[in-house]
Amino acid sequence: MIQVIQILILGIALGGVYALMSSGMTLIFGVMRIVNLAHSAFIVLAAYLAFFVFKTFNIDPIVSMAFTMPVMFLVGVIYYRLLFASRADNPRFADITVLVTFATALVIEGILAFIFTGIYRSTTPTYAKTSINFGPFFIPQSQLYALIISIVLIVGLWMFMRYTRIGNAIRATMQNRNAAQVVGVNVTWISTLSFGIGLAMAGAAGSLLSFVFTFYPAKHIAWIGMIMCLVVLGGMGSLVGALVSSFLLATAAAYVNFYFGAAWSPITFYLSLFLILLFRPQGLFGKKVEG
Amino acid sequence: MGTLVVENVVAGYGSGPNILKGLSLTVESGKAYCIIGPNGAGKSTLIKVIAGLLKPREGKIFFKGEDITPLRADQVLQRGLCYVPSDRSLFPDMTVKENLRMGGFVMRDTRKVDERIDELFAQFPILKEKSSQMAKTLSGGQQQLAAIARAMVLKPEMIMLDEPSLGLSPKVVQQIFGTITTLRDQGLTILLVEQNARKGLQIADMGVVLDLGTNSFEAPACDVLNDPRIQELYLGKRHQAVAAEECK
Ligand SMILES: Nc1ncnc2c1ncn2[C@@H]1O[C@H](COP(=O)(O)OP(=O)(O)O)[C@@H](O)[C@H]1O
Ligand SMILES: [Mg+2]
């Protein structure tokens, strides 16, 4: 029994980071219908940023989020402006975005490999090596911090979307782009902002990942599959969906990992993707897409 | 000089052909205009151009004497010219009240927006009743009403309605037209696009026939209703005199 609960704790701890990884992706899809296949590559890029700042200036990766998040926000704004803004009305926009973002992922991977080589990296703040014990249970300190920060950021994003004027404009654009224009929302501006916010979330995820996992330039390939599963399971575009599916699957994967071995845990994600597409293609919290 | 003047407007989408080919139209203040015309004639395109959602390739648009051609959609709204699109276009997963709040998006004073929403709730009690329901749960007629109310949040001087009767049952169409008539009687300038030409012309002062991207015929609504060519083309019947009570 103790073991069962211990696994649950570790699963939930990882769920927070997974939720943060998928939140930006689901936001970007929800507002712009861009399937951002480069999302995990941007996360890895942010992890290297955190790594670089940690190695060079010895700045804690949690502290350097104050740097990685704005930098990634800017990267998102510029990236969207350069490649997508002028094409948003193109009838083949969706096809274009898949190709462009996939190419972007490969370019980022190549640049990172060139600068940092393929060696496995991670940041190593002091809390990365210790665990917190309570009774018979433990949680790695790094994962606890990552969980708390992830939840704070996601709840913050959710409240921003729900209670601010700009947040409402983002939700309106997600639900009906045409109607948003009709009431005077500048959807190009909202899209640019949302892409920036999406990548700022990727930036935060990268910083946290840097001390929870090891990473290397090609790591984004494994992660994009997982993030896609989480986003589709939650319902593409649904923040709450991404959050719930992240905790569900992280926990499920932790049990599979324990009882069947680590090699099987990625299967959890893909199997659940299969099942959801079979029985509820719009995802747990998704809206049926017309057309 | 009319409240809205459209001057030789040429417009189209992307690099596509001209949809509007030098269209001119003058809308007098406080009057109701009904635009009819075949599918694809460019009626919705004209409304989008006026609303600032599509920039014309040539020509100018004046509202209350001001050249609004270069203005953004939100700036046109702020001038008092609102638009109800044809698919009703609500925000499906927002409540009725949130939808109306979005109608006041360009007004930064949220207290004023809420006051205005209360006025509209008094005018449309059914919306008040449904105020905390998601828009997607409303019936077609209620959605249309909500879309009209959303445009009315800004207290516009002129409202453009694109096929408000689309997909509604005859009884509900009757109610919606009743609502539009009320707005007309309150002194609002109305530009109505209608497939249901007979109904539209009945509540309008002026009828405009749009075909092949130009304004091919413009006359008092009653004359349009009575015109034999129009009757054959758009009213789906052979020529017959329209009873006087059918005219406004
Ligand atoms: N977003 C768009 N992109 C490209 N062409 C469009 C678009 N919207 C409408 N059109 C074209 O413009 C023409 C006029 O359309 P529209 O103004 O909607 O006509 P109406 O409202 O009179 O039926 C049609 O040929 C239509 O195919
Ligand atoms: Mg139309």
Side-chain angles (χ1 to χ4, degrees):
Chain A
M1 191 58 199
I2 287 179
Q3 206 137 51
V4 171
I5 295 174
Q6 179 60 52
I7 296 167
L8 181 68
I9 293 170
L10 294 178
I12 289 175
L14 280 186
V17 193
Y18 289 174
L20 191 60
M21 291 169 81
S22 35
S23 64
M25 171 119 181
T26 211
L27 177 71
I28 287 170
F29 179 80
V31 176
M32 287 151 282
R33 297 289 178 265
I34 292 176
V35 178
N36 183 19
L37 293 180
H39 202 72
S40 59
F42 282 116
I43 292 174
V44 173
L45 173 65
Y48 274 101
L49 270 179
F51 171 78
F52 175 78
V53 172
F54 181 78
K55 276 284 172 227
T56 318
F57 306 105
N58 204 20
I59 297 175
D60 182 280
I62 292 179
V63 175
S64 71
M65 282 169 73
F67 164 73
T68 47
M69 286 182 72
V71 167
M72 292 307 291
F73 177 89
L74 272 183
V75 168
V77 165
I78 294 167
Y79 180 61
Y80 181 78
R81 279 279 156 178
L82 281 183
L83 287 160
F84 299 112
S86 61
R87 297 180 176 82
D89 292 325
N90 191 310
R92 305 195 54 188
F93 187 64
D95 317 5
I96 296 171
T97 66
V98 169
L99 278 174
V100 169
T101 57
F102 185 64
T104 306
L106 297 183
V107 169
I108 293 174
E109 179 187 334
I111 292 172
L112 289 176
F114 179 75
I115 300 175
F116 294 101
T117 74
I119 297 171
Y120 283 40
R121 310 279 187 181
S122 64
T123 55
T124 49
T126 49
Y127 48 78
K129 301 266 182 307
T130 55
S131 284
I132 293 171
N133 297 292
F134 44 105
F137 307 114
F138 75 94
I139 182 166
Q141 209 172 346
S142 58
Q143 291 188 19
L144 179 65
Y145 290 174
L147 172 69
I148 293 170
I149 294 167
S150 297
I151 289 179
V152 167
L153 286 172
I154 291 170
V155 170
L157 178 61
W158 186 84
M159 300 217 321
F160 169 73
M161 300 274 283
R162 184 125 321 239
Y163 298 115
T164 67
R165 183 170 178 271
I166 304 293
N168 277 319
I170 294 178
R171 281 198 302 138
T173 307
M174 281 182 164
Q175 292 181 24
N176 190 335
R177 196 178 183 85
N178 178 46
Q181 282 180 302
V182 166
V183 298
V185 173
N186 183 339
V187 296
T188 307
W189 191 84
I190 287 292
S191 298
T192 308
L193 178 75
S194 302
F195 210 104
I197 294 174
L199 283 206
M201 296 308 258
S207 295
L208 298 178
L209 284 179
S210 75
F211 57 82
V212 174
F213 301 119
T214 55
F215 52 90
Y216 46 91
K219 182 78 185 186
H220 71 98
I221 304 266
W223 278 337
I224 195 64
M226 184 190 83
I227 296 173
M228 283 292 285
C229 290
L230 293 171
V231 168
V232 172
L233 182 68
M236 294 189 74
S238 166
L239 199 56
V240 175
L243 187 69
V244 171
S245 62
S246 294
F247 282 110
L248 274 180
L249 284 194
T251 313
Y255 284 112
V256 170
N257 186 7
F258 182 77
Y259 290 109
F260 301 97
W264 289 97
S265 82
I267 304 287
T268 325
F269 292 91
Y270 294 105
L271 190 63
S272 62
L273 179 67
F274 260 29
L275 292 176
I276 197 82
L277 287 178
L278 214 52
F279 295 110
R280 199 180 151 80
Q282 73 269 36
L284 295 176
F285 292 82
K287 311 292 181 300
K288 284 200 177 106
V289 184
E290 332 72 77
Chain B
M1 179 147 160
T3 219
L4 177 81
V5 179
V6 177
E7 244 177 43
N8 299 317
V9 161
V10 176
Y13 297 90
S15 53
N18 291 339
I19 306 291
L20 301 178
K21 299 161 184 158
L23 184 139
S24 297
L25 176 69
T26 299
V27 174
E28 301 291 342
S29 176
K31 295 234 156 87
Y33 285 66
C34 178
I35 302 182
I36 61 173
N39 250 330
K43 304 181 295 295
S44 301
T45 304
L46 170 63
I47 292 199
K48 280 183 229 165
V49 169
I50 298 171
L53 293 169
L54 181 68
K55 287 291 154 229
R57 291 169 178 164
E58 280 171 45
K60 283 197 182 310
I61 298 148
F62 297 89
F63 185 60
K64 293 188 284 177
E66 182 191 7
D67 182 2
I68 60 166
T69 326
L71 299 190
R72 292 188 313 264
D74 57 309
Q75 296 171 316
V76 174
L77 289 171
Q78 275 163 336
R79 302 295 192 278
L81 177 49
C82 288
Y83 162 38
V84 183
S86 65
D87 46 5
R88 298 192 258 287
S89 265
L90 295 175
F91 304 110
D93 294 299
M94 288 190 181
T95 64
V96 170
K97 186 151 192 183
E98 284 179 305
N99 267 277
L100 296 194
R101 286 224 176 96
M102 283 310 296
F105 179 73
V106 300
M107 250 160 92
R108 275 155 193 281
D109 186 347
T110 50
R111 196 164 332 126
K112 250 203 185 124
V113 172
D114 282 344
E115 270 173 35
R116 185 66 192 135
I117 290 174
D118 285 338
E119 286 171 30
L120 288 162
F121 277 163
Q123 192 176 353
F124 305 113
I126 182 71
L127 294 182
K128 181 173 189 172
E129 204 177 294
K130 307 268 174 185
S131 70
S132 50
Q133 280 190 25
M134 294 294 166
K136 65 181 173 194
T137 66
L138 300 186
S139 70
Q142 291 164 352
Q143 289 191 11
Q144 185 60 63
L145 206 57
I148 293 175
R150 189 181 61 191
M152 292 296 296
V153 169
L154 294 176
K155 254 193 179 157
E157 288 175 42
M158 175 169 172
I159 189 166
M160 300 187 286
L161 300 126
D162 195 352
E163 305 203 28
S165 71
L166 201 69
L168 300 179
S169 70
K171 197 172 146 236
V172 178
V173 170
Q174 202 59 41
Q175 290 167 357
I176 293 297
F177 274 79
T179 305
I180 297 170
T181 309
T182 313
L183 298 181
R184 182 197 69 194
D185 294 343
Q186 287 170 356
L188 215 67
T189 309
I190 291 173
L191 189 63
L192 171 69
V193 167
E194 241 331 306
Q195 280 293 319
N196 195 335
R198 166 175 298 276
K199 275 234 144 56
L201 289 167
Q202 276 169 15
I203 62 165
D205 300 289
M206 294 292 287
V208 178
V209 180
L210 209 161
D211 204 353
L212 298 172
T214 54
N215 170 349
S216 65
F217 192 88
E218 183 178 344
C222 204
D223 297 349
V224 178
L225 265 173
N226 268 315
D227 189 284
R229 289 164 302 167
I230 304 294
Q231 287 189 343
E232 208 158 314
L233 283 169
Y234 304 114
L235 302 176
K237 62 170 187 189
R238 301 259 147 228
H239 180 216
Q240 54 183 256
V242 176
E245 68 267 20
E246 275 208 51
C247 292
K248 187 191 162 232

